[in-house]
Amino acid sequence: RQLSKLIKQWYQRRVRGGARLMNWHAANLKDNGHPFSKEAAMAKLVASETATYCAHQAIQVLGGMGYVSDMPAERHYRDARITEIYEGTSEIQRLVIAGNLLKEMVQ
């Protein structure tokens, strides 16, 4: 249980650091009437991939016990993995980012 708490805290600090700032930046752009789709896609991509990475690392630390449904790490991994699929896959987010970058380069 203690190891699970430590992993959860590490995960939360990592996700909160970059993804939260990116999310706030996208929200600020939207609030001020500026284009924000690229920044929103970047924030979602970073948050979902970081969550999956951290949950995967938790399972790696726990070994075979990480896959047991009684362990919180298994649920965290399932929840993190669905964020890469739900509301636009990571590949779609990358396409949105790339499309916006190309538009910026043309202008």
Short mmCIF file of all heavy atoms in Angstrom, two decimals, residues 2 9 17 26 32 34 36 43 45 54 61 65 70 77 86 89 95 102:
data_model
loop_
_atom_site.label_atom_id
_atom_site.label_comp_id
_atom_site.label_asym_id
_atom_site.label_seq_id
_atom_site.Cartn_x
_atom_site.Cartn_y
_atom_site.Cartn_z
N GLN A 2 1.94 1.25 0.78
CA GLN A 2 2.81 2.43 0.86
C GLN A 2 3.47 2.69 -0.49
O GLN A 2 3.56 3.84 -0.92
CB GLN A 2 3.88 2.22 1.94
CG GLN A 2 4.73 3.45 2.19
CD GLN A 2 3.94 4.61 2.76
OE1 GLN A 2 2.90 4.44 3.37
NE2 GLN A 2 4.43 5.81 2.54
N GLN A 9 1.74 9.49 -5.88
CA GLN A 9 2.21 10.86 -5.67
C GLN A 9 3.18 11.28 -6.77
O GLN A 9 3.13 12.40 -7.26
CB GLN A 9 2.88 10.98 -4.30
CG GLN A 9 1.91 10.90 -3.16
CD GLN A 9 2.62 10.80 -1.82
OE1 GLN A 9 3.83 10.69 -1.75
NE2 GLN A 9 1.83 10.84 -0.74
N GLY A 17 2.61 18.86 -13.26
CA GLY A 17 3.61 19.83 -13.69
C GLY A 17 3.39 20.34 -15.10
O GLY A 17 3.01 21.48 -15.31
N ALA A 26 -3.89 26.71 -22.62
CA ALA A 26 -4.93 26.56 -23.64
C ALA A 26 -6.22 27.23 -23.18
O ALA A 26 -6.89 27.90 -23.97
CB ALA A 26 -5.18 25.08 -23.93
N ASN A 32 -9.36 34.38 -23.87
CA ASN A 32 -9.01 35.65 -24.49
C ASN A 32 -9.36 35.71 -25.97
O ASN A 32 -8.97 36.64 -26.66
CB ASN A 32 -7.53 35.95 -24.27
CG ASN A 32 -7.22 36.24 -22.82
OD1 ASN A 32 -7.97 36.96 -22.17
ND2 ASN A 32 -6.15 35.66 -22.30
N HIS A 34 -8.40 33.71 -28.47
CA HIS A 34 -7.34 33.32 -29.40
C HIS A 34 -7.53 31.87 -29.83
O HIS A 34 -8.17 31.09 -29.13
CB HIS A 34 -5.96 33.47 -28.75
CG HIS A 34 -5.64 34.88 -28.34
ND1 HIS A 34 -5.44 35.89 -29.23
CD2 HIS A 34 -5.50 35.43 -27.11
CE1 HIS A 34 -5.17 37.01 -28.59
NE2 HIS A 34 -5.22 36.76 -27.29
N PHE A 36 -6.91 28.07 -29.97
CA PHE A 36 -6.38 27.25 -28.88
C PHE A 36 -6.36 25.76 -29.18
O PHE A 36 -5.93 24.97 -28.34
CB PHE A 36 -7.18 27.49 -27.59
CG PHE A 36 -8.60 27.04 -27.70
CD1 PHE A 36 -8.97 25.79 -27.25
CD2 PHE A 36 -9.57 27.86 -28.25
CE1 PHE A 36 -10.29 25.36 -27.35
CE2 PHE A 36 -10.88 27.45 -28.36
CZ PHE A 36 -11.24 26.20 -27.91
N ALA A 43 -1.88 19.64 -24.73
CA ALA A 43 -2.10 19.37 -23.31
C ALA A 43 -2.70 17.98 -23.10
O ALA A 43 -2.27 17.24 -22.21
CB ALA A 43 -3.04 20.44 -22.72
N LEU A 45 -2.50 15.39 -25.13
CA LEU A 45 -1.51 14.38 -25.52
C LEU A 45 -0.49 14.17 -24.41
O LEU A 45 -0.19 13.03 -24.03
CB LEU A 45 -0.82 14.80 -26.82
CG LEU A 45 0.21 13.84 -27.37
CD1 LEU A 45 -0.45 12.53 -27.79
CD2 LEU A 45 0.92 14.47 -28.56
N CYS A 54 3.46 6.62 -16.41
CA CYS A 54 3.61 6.45 -14.96
C CYS A 54 2.90 5.21 -14.45
O CYS A 54 3.44 4.48 -13.60
CB CYS A 54 3.10 7.69 -14.24
SG CYS A 54 4.09 9.15 -14.53
N VAL A 61 7.26 -1.90 -11.52
CA VAL A 61 7.83 -1.99 -10.17
C VAL A 61 7.20 -3.14 -9.40
O VAL A 61 7.88 -3.88 -8.69
CB VAL A 61 7.64 -0.65 -9.41
CG1 VAL A 61 7.94 -0.80 -7.94
CG2 VAL A 61 8.51 0.44 -10.03
N MET A 65 2.42 -8.83 -9.67
CA MET A 65 1.34 -8.36 -8.79
C MET A 65 0.67 -7.11 -9.34
O MET A 65 -0.45 -6.80 -8.97
CB MET A 65 1.88 -8.08 -7.38
CG MET A 65 2.18 -9.33 -6.58
SD MET A 65 0.73 -10.37 -6.33
CE MET A 65 -0.29 -9.30 -5.34
N ASP A 70 -6.78 -6.64 -7.78
CA ASP A 70 -6.89 -6.10 -6.42
C ASP A 70 -5.92 -4.95 -6.19
O ASP A 70 -6.09 -4.18 -5.24
CB ASP A 70 -6.62 -7.19 -5.37
CG ASP A 70 -7.70 -8.25 -5.36
OD1 ASP A 70 -8.81 -7.95 -5.84
OD2 ASP A 70 -7.44 -9.35 -4.87
N TYR A 77 -3.61 1.89 -14.41
CA TYR A 77 -3.16 1.65 -15.78
C TYR A 77 -4.35 1.63 -16.74
O TYR A 77 -4.30 2.23 -17.81
CB TYR A 77 -2.37 0.34 -15.89
CG TYR A 77 -1.84 0.12 -17.28
CD1 TYR A 77 -0.75 0.84 -17.74
CD2 TYR A 77 -2.45 -0.77 -18.15
CE1 TYR A 77 -0.27 0.67 -19.02
CE2 TYR A 77 -1.97 -0.95 -19.44
CZ TYR A 77 -0.88 -0.24 -19.86
OH TYR A 77 -0.41 -0.41 -21.14
N TYR A 86 -10.02 7.56 -25.49
CA TYR A 86 -11.28 8.30 -25.34
C TYR A 86 -11.12 9.75 -25.78
O TYR A 86 -10.11 10.37 -25.53
CB TYR A 86 -11.71 8.22 -23.87
CG TYR A 86 -13.06 8.80 -23.58
CD1 TYR A 86 -14.21 8.21 -24.07
CD2 TYR A 86 -13.19 9.96 -22.83
CE1 TYR A 86 -15.45 8.73 -23.79
CE2 TYR A 86 -14.43 10.49 -22.55
CZ TYR A 86 -15.55 9.87 -23.04
OH TYR A 86 -16.78 10.40 -22.77
N THR A 89 -7.93 9.85 -30.17
CA THR A 89 -6.74 9.07 -29.88
C THR A 89 -5.51 9.96 -29.93
O THR A 89 -5.55 11.09 -30.43
CB THR A 89 -6.57 7.93 -30.91
OG1 THR A 89 -6.35 8.52 -32.19
CG2 THR A 89 -7.78 7.03 -30.94
N LEU A 95 -2.19 14.68 -35.24
CA LEU A 95 -2.62 15.25 -36.51
C LEU A 95 -3.12 16.69 -36.33
O LEU A 95 -2.85 17.56 -37.16
CB LEU A 95 -3.70 14.39 -37.16
CG LEU A 95 -3.23 13.04 -37.72
CD1 LEU A 95 -4.43 12.23 -38.19
CD2 LEU A 95 -2.25 13.24 -38.85
N LEU A 102 1.53 23.40 -39.44
CA LEU A 102 1.66 23.69 -40.88
C LEU A 102 0.96 25.00 -41.24
O LEU A 102 1.48 25.79 -42.03
CB LEU A 102 1.10 22.54 -41.71
CG LEU A 102 1.93 21.26 -41.72
CD1 LEU A 102 1.19 20.14 -42.43
CD2 LEU A 102 3.28 21.52 -42.37
#
